[in-house]
Each structure stands twice: as C-alpha cells, then as structure tokens.
Amino acid sequence: AGLIAYFIIAKKSKKQEEEGRKKYRAIYDYSSQNQDELDLKIGDIIIMREQFGDGWGRGLNERSKKEGMFPMTYVNEVE
C-alpha cells in the first residue's frame, strides 16, 4: 500500500510542477534540425522546462507529447 501511495503522490507532484511552469504558443512552424529538437506547428502549446541564454528553450509539446529544444523566437508566452 505504501508503494501505491508513493506513486500517487509522485504523479500529483509532477502534475502540480507542470501547472507552475510557463506555457508558450508557437507563432511559426519549425522543423527540427537535430534529434533533440521539437517540431512546432503554429498554435502548439509548449510547457517550458528550461530556458537558455542563447535563445533556445527546452520544453514539452502538448500536441505531440515530445520533449526537446526549440528556438524561443518561434513562440510567445501564454498569459
């Protein structure tokens, strides 16, 4: 029973963590150039995981359920 409770708590914590992250909407299509990059389609919602000083971010695309790098100039923050 303790193990099941742990997984329920862990899952809830992950969901709460994602709800606290900033979301961005793709304003341009972007075709990935490398394996670690995300494909973006206009309107895709991206949950930000990490933002870098070189103009790139790492996030989760809610449409494709894939995580990867993307150019920050292709997205706008969702208010």
Side-chain angles (χ1 to χ4, degrees), residues 31-70:
S31 295
S32 59
Q33 307 295 309
N34 297 299
Q35 267 190 324
D36 65 342
E37 293 178 7
L38 281 179
D39 283 322
L40 300 176
K41 300 286 183 206
I42 293 174
D44 281 357
I45 300 297
I46 311 300
I47 299 170
M48 181 64 70
R49 298 272 197 241
E50 193 171 359
Q51 192 169 344
F52 303 96
D54 63 356
W56 285 79
R58 184 175 61 84
L60 174 70
N61 185 322
E62 289 189 337
R63 175 185 56 82
S64 67
K65 305 299 185 211
K66 293 185 179 174
E67 187 168 326
M69 305 292 292
F70 61 93

Side-chain angles (χ1 to χ4, degrees), residues 9 21 23 27-28 30 44 69:
I9 292 167
R21 293 187 186 265
K23 291 187 177 187
I27 55 173
Y28 306 108
Y30 178 75
D44 281 357
M69 305 292 292

